Amino acid sequence: MAFGNPNRRRASLNVGWMLLALVAASFTGAVLGLIWQSYDWFGGEIEEEHVTVEEPTG
């Protein structure tokens, strides 16, 4: 015994549109992340790391 009317049309889940929105959001996020990572916020020069080596005693 089936429940409900078998002739009634089911509501569309719009899976295709959800997939398209997910792909668009992921690419947009990736592009914005790369821009954010490469952007120099304060316009200063890159700091150089100075490594000093201690002389061994003995």
Side-chain angles (χ1 to χ4, degrees), residues 22-36:
L22 180 64
V23 169
S26 65
F27 278 113
T28 303
V31 168
L32 290 177
L34 289 173
I35 292 171
W36 180 278

Side-chain angles (χ1 to χ4, degrees), residues 32-56:
L32 290 177
L34 289 173
I35 292 171
W36 180 278
Q37 182 181 9
S38 65
Y39 190 76
D40 186 16
W41 289 102
F42 299 108
E45 294 181 17
I46 298 174
E47 295 181 20
E48 295 181 14
E49 183 178 348
H50 299 284
V51 179
T52 58
V53 178
E54 295 181 17
E55 293 183 18

